[in-house]
Amino acid sequence: MSVAFLSSKFTQELPRRIHRRESNGLTIEVKQNSRYRWLTFANGIVQSAMSLEAPHELVLAYTHSMMAPLIFNPTPQRILCLGIGGGSLIRHFRHTLPEAEITAVDSSLEVIETARDYFQLPADGPNLHVATDDARTAIAHAVSQDLVLVDVFDEQGMPAWLASSGFFATCRRALSEQGILVLNLMPDDEAELAQFLSALRHEFLGRVLVTTLVDYRNVIVIALQEPPDELAVAALGSRAHALEKQLKLPLGRILRNICGVNVCHGGQLVI
């Protein structure tokens, strides 16, 4: 979910609505122009967006930042997505990491059906399982995940349980030995963000990184099960540069943001 509302890429030409659905208290709309298609709820906030020319490419800035864990582990083998929206992360992973085993859940069947009908959500197969489920139930049953991505919102915004220490503990138990958790957050204020980070750092023994986005309320938070094998900024920069060309993502800029927002000392990222 992105809180930039409609950026210029969506408003530079008059969009047309191609789908509207109201069910179980949720209003889903799909709009598009000549280049992009996007999903919104009744609040008008863009939940997900897709390039019509290159559906596998990530469009929204917050989804770029959610790929930051790849700087530490470029080849996760088991991936769990909590929250589907228009399926942007799933399409991207199926294209860039075709051998990875991906599980994705969303609490709304209507959202999943919209993603399949309008956003090219891939069909289930040997390496992809999509299900209607509560994120808390799904994470409680997950094991040995190399990467868990949490992007869970509804028309009211971020659910209250997302900031609970119990949820963080369950996420940590679901990770593999070198697993990484990444969360898309939209805190109401600095105090709420500080409370969230305090609880997460307590659970992950301080191994938490924050990345911010210009002109967005979104804050992307990364929590690591164990310290990564590489913390030298120069080496991470080389890795990010190589991945940037491969994945067409601004990972070099994202790494610079991570180093600017978090603690670096003696050319090392401190976790």
Side-chain angles (χ1 to χ4, degrees), residues 76-90:
Q77 296 302 302
R78 302 188 71 188
I79 300 171
L80 174 61
C81 297
L82 302 180
I84 291 174
S88 300
L89 300 178
I90 302 167

Side-chain angles (χ1 to χ4, degrees), residues 20-29 39-42 47 106-111 114 153-156:
R20 178 182 173 89
R21 179 173 183 174
E22 296 184 22
S23 179
N24 296 322
L26 183 66
T27 300
I28 299 171
E29 288 193 345
L39 180 149
T40 68
F41 293 154
Q47 303 291 319
D106 199 287
S107 61
S108 170
L109 176 61
E110 292 78 13
V111 166
T114 301
F153 291 87
D154 56 25
E155 288 182 310
Q156 284 70 50

Side-chain angles (χ1 to χ4, degrees), residues 14 38 45 55 64-65 69 89-90 102-103 106 124 127 135 140 145 150-151 160 163-164 189 194 207 219 229 233 242:
L14 188 66
W38 59 95
I45 297 176
H64 297 169
S65 293
L89 300 178
I90 302 167
I102 303 168
T103 301
D106 199 287
D124 280 15
N127 291 339
Q145 300 296 315
V150 182
D151 188 11
S164 70
D189 50 38
R207 293 187 286 270
V219 177
D229 61 355
V233 173

